[in-house]
Amino acid sequence: MSEQTPRSVLVTGGARGIGAAIVEEFLARGDKVASASTSGRAPGGALGIACDVTDAASVDAAFAAAEEAHGPVEVVVANAGITKDTLVLRMSEADFDAVVDVNLKGAFHVAKRASRGMLRLRRGRLIFIGSVVGLYGSPGQVNYAATKSGLVGMARSLTRELGGRGITANVVAPGFIETDMTAVLGEEQVAGYRAAIPSGRLGLPAEVASAVAFLASPEAGYISGAVLPVDGGLGMGH
Ligand code: NDP
């Protein structure tokens, strides 16, 4: 790939948390960045687009807006995600479906729309934000963990479909990162996680963003179908 900056980058859920850190990382590297999220908010310097990833037409419109502003999208980060945690016996069909719709089907909408332009360009980087729990498992997260391991199968299948056209597809699997998503956890729960993490601390959104930027960089051109953990060692061996 040409891999010259500025590239046109689209991040879903770039309004806050890990997504916002990813947007900022690409901006700092000189790229043109669009964030597609429910609110349409985005860090300063990025194009904010209101988008619901569960709706294919909304995703299509978000790509069209990014393409109009920044040119063909070369780097896509499927980051938008939600949790609806509860133990399996209490998990409703609605809790399961909502998480699958955003985390897995949303990523499918994004990857499908992105691959159209990338095939034309004959280059591209698809990066999915998975989770340590996708392979490690997590009580109370049957829905969420299933979607995150699903992203591994998605990225690996995309690698096999599109790898010959200069397109890579990888998963970044964060551990516990300090964002709104983990701010709802109780003190005791956080202390338990901290004790289980070899690094002894939660991670920062910027630490996930650097891994994403690496996978989008020229240096990572031969890495595809990989799961890159950013978890302080929590998921080692999984
Ligand atoms: P946040 O809850 O802080 O942010 C989630 C982002 O997703 C928001 O920008 C939100 O948009 C957007 N979003 C949610 N639903 C939709 C939707 N239907 N359509 C478009 N955008 C949507 O999450 P985090 O930053 O913590 O997590 C980001 C990703 O990282 C997720 O995929 C999560 O599963 C994953 N992850 C997080 C970990 C953590 O410890 N925090 C650990 C492992 C993985 P808006 O702001 O506009 O509402």
Side-chain angles (χ1 to χ4, degrees), residues 43-213:
L47 172 70
I49 305 165
C51 169
D52 179 356
V53 296
T54 66
D55 176 1
S58 177
V59 169
D60 185 40
F63 271 81
E67 285 161 355
E68 194 179 324
H70 300 150
V73 177
E74 286 189 49
V75 178
V76 166
V77 186
N79 162 80
I82 60 167
T83 50
K84 288 203 181 287
D85 298 354
T86 190
L87 296 173
V88 68
L89 288 179
R90 292 197 200 124
M91 190 173 285
S92 67
E93 298 266 327
D95 290 338
F96 191 86
D97 289 347
V99 173
V100 169
D101 274 356
V102 176
N103 298 10
L104 192 57
K105 198 163 179 203
F108 161 69
H109 291 148
V110 168
K112 182 175 173 180
R113 179 59 176 80
S115 53
R116 200 203 296 168
M118 290 177 180
L119 280 167
R120 219 175 287 133
L121 278 177
R122 297 191 70 84
R123 64 176 182 271
R125 299 295 169 90
L126 294 164
I127 299 160
F128 299 89
I129 306 302
S131 168
V132 63
V133 307
L135 300 175
Y136 195 68
S138 171
Q141 294 198 303
V142 160
N143 49 1
Y144 180 80
T147 65
K148 294 303 187 181
S149 55
L151 293 176
V152 177
M154 192 180 290
R156 290 184 170 169
S157 300
L158 288 164
T159 290
R160 293 194 190 279
E161 272 192 41
L162 308 174
R165 310 290 190 89
I167 299 167
T168 66
N170 291 289
V171 174
V172 169
F176 291 93
I177 309 296
E178 288 179 22
T179 69
D180 293 349
M181 191 177 269
T182 47
V184 297
L185 302 173
E187 277 287 303
E188 214 172 293
Q189 217 177 342
V190 173
Y193 288 137
R194 203 178 284 119
I197 299 167
S199 298
R201 64 173 178 90
L202 302 200
L204 301 172
E207 292 174 308
V208 180
S210 333
V212 171

